[in-house]
Amino acid sequence: MRLRRNLTTLSFLAPALVGILVFFVYPLLSAIYFSFTKFDLLTVPQWVGLANYRRMAEDPFLLQSIRNTLWMVVVFVPVRIISAIGLSMLLTQIKRGAGFFRTIFYLPALAPPVAATIAFVYLLKPGTGPVNTFLGHLGIEGPLWFNSPDWSKPSLVLLGLWGIGDLMIIFLAAVLGVSPSLYEAASLDGANAWHRFRYITVPTIRPVILFAAVTGVIYTLQYFDQAAVAGSIASGQAATGAGISSSFGFPEGSTFTYPLWLYTVGFRYNALGYANAMAVALFVVALAVTVILLRRSKAFSGEDQ
């Protein structure tokens, strides 16, 4: 009976287990193997040991892409979380038309990343873009946005904040789930709006903040589409159809994120062994960050208890 019960359980789990083995475990093990080889899809892989990993420490373009990606993690993830929390708190205060405003704020999240990026490059185009034109009427000289190495990454952050609706909905549900009795008790004790937010809202929605932080870091470490399209369109040399644009990273490599350089190494230079080593390193870093965030969250929970 126990064997029959176990087989029945496995039969229900089989589709998920097969999918995990075929689409995750096997590719991961293959990537680890190929990371120790010289591989270009045309010849038999040659075992080179740790050569690909040593090469990573000497690659100036890789170091630049790491700096760009870390900038996005440190700036983009906190700004996105804070903005989503602020927007959700604002929507909870709206008495009339709340559903309409929720829909308006959520709609940009449904836009395809490529289309949204093309639209933003047009809006922020120096000289003739609507944003700089409007700033000019106010007597403000607009920056070069995606055409400036100093403003390209902040422009990508603005692009990310425009599509913040998906995270806003999650935080809105969390904020609405806070018991009103806690706010009422705090008000009777003389707590102002900041105290209620700091000592009631934030501790209550802390699991959601952790979820947003983990998924935000993983998403930013894999940041690819927007950086690739923005650099190509802003340079005026975008690739048409399938292919690799020669202007990835424009301007001056400021939008060259880690996944973008990994893609370039693998499919422009056919150094797939080196690209697999970069992919394995990215996986290890993402896994380590996730574990650290989860442990810190448990430590904070222990202190609260």
Side-chain angles (χ1 to χ4, degrees):
M1 291 180 62
R2 180 179 300 176
L3 177 62
R4 184 181 305 168
R5 184 167 56 252
N6 292 337
L7 291 176
T8 302
T9 303
L10 287 175
S11 66
F12 284 107
L13 292 175
L17 293 177
V18 171
I20 292 174
L21 290 174
V22 174
F23 297 107
F24 179 76
V25 176
Y26 173 72
L28 177 60
L29 295 178
S30 299
I32 294 174
Y33 167 74
F34 287 122
S35 69
F36 296 103
T37 66
K38 182 180 180 181
F39 181 46
D40 59 5
L41 278 181
L42 301 177
T43 58
V44 178
Q46 300 177 7
W47 185 266
V48 294
L50 297 175
N52 289 324
Y53 292 95
R54 288 194 294 267
R55 179 181 174 184
M56 292 175 61
E58 303 171 355
D59 186 348
F61 294 102
L62 176 62
L63 297 179
Q64 183 181 25
S65 69
I66 291 175
R67 288 193 295 268
N68 292 335
T69 304
L70 287 179
W71 190 97
M72 293 294 294
V73 171
V74 173
V75 176
F76 178 67
V77 175
V79 169
R80 189 168 185 264
I81 293 176
I82 293 172
S83 300
I85 294 176
L87 188 57
S88 63
M89 294 293 296
L90 178 63
L91 289 176
T92 58
Q93 303 301 318
I94 298 177
K95 303 303 180 181
R96 292 184 178 180
F100 171 77
F101 287 105
R102 292 174 189 175
T103 303
I104 292 297
F105 286 123
Y106 179 73
L107 281 178
L110 300 179
V114 173
T117 305
I118 294 175
F120 250 74
V121 172
Y122 166 73
L123 292 174
L124 301 179
K125 187 176 182 179
T128 60
V131 174
N132 278 6
T133 301
F134 175 75
L135 293 177
H137 291 317
L138 299 178
I140 302 174
E141 183 178 357
L144 296 179
W145 300 111
F146 287 107
N147 292 79
S148 168
D150 296 326
W151 280 92
S152 57
K153 288 190 286 292
S155 300
L156 290 175
V157 173
L158 291 177
L159 171 60
L161 293 181
W162 179 72
I164 204 175
D166 53 347
L167 190 59
M168 178 268 296
I169 290 294
I170 296 175
F171 276 113
L172 181 62
V175 170
L176 292 175
V178 180
S179 175
S181 61
L182 297 176
Y183 293 122
E184 295 173 1
S187 298
L188 293 176
D189 290 337
N192 56 30
W194 167 250
H195 291 151
R196 292 194 297 271
F197 174 77
R198 171 66 180 83
Y199 296 105
I200 296 178
T201 306
V202 172
T204 304
I205 67 173
R206 182 176 294 164
V208 182
I209 296 176
L210 173 65
F211 168 79
V214 172
T215 56
V217 169
I218 295 175
Y219 168 77
T220 310
L221 289 176
Q222 301 175 354
Y223 200 76
F224 179 87
D225 295 346
Q226 294 87 337
V229 175
S232 299
I233 298 297
S235 69
Q237 300 177 2
T240 57
I244 302 176
S245 174
S246 59
S247 57
F248 279 170
F250 179 87
E252 300 179 16
S254 59
T255 58
F256 237 135
T257 60
Y258 189 97
L260 191 55
W261 178 239
L262 187 157
Y263 178 79
T264 303
V265 167
F267 295 99
R268 178 186 293 174
Y269 303 116
N270 291 329
L272 292 175
Y274 181 41
N276 275 281
M278 293 174 59
V280 172
L282 178 62
F283 172 77
V284 172
V285 170
L287 182 62
V289 170
T290 302
V291 171
I292 291 173
L293 290 175
L294 291 175
R295 286 186 175 180
R296 291 184 66 86
S297 174
K298 291 181 180 178
F300 289 144
S301 299
E303 291 175 1
D304 292 342
Q305 293 174 358

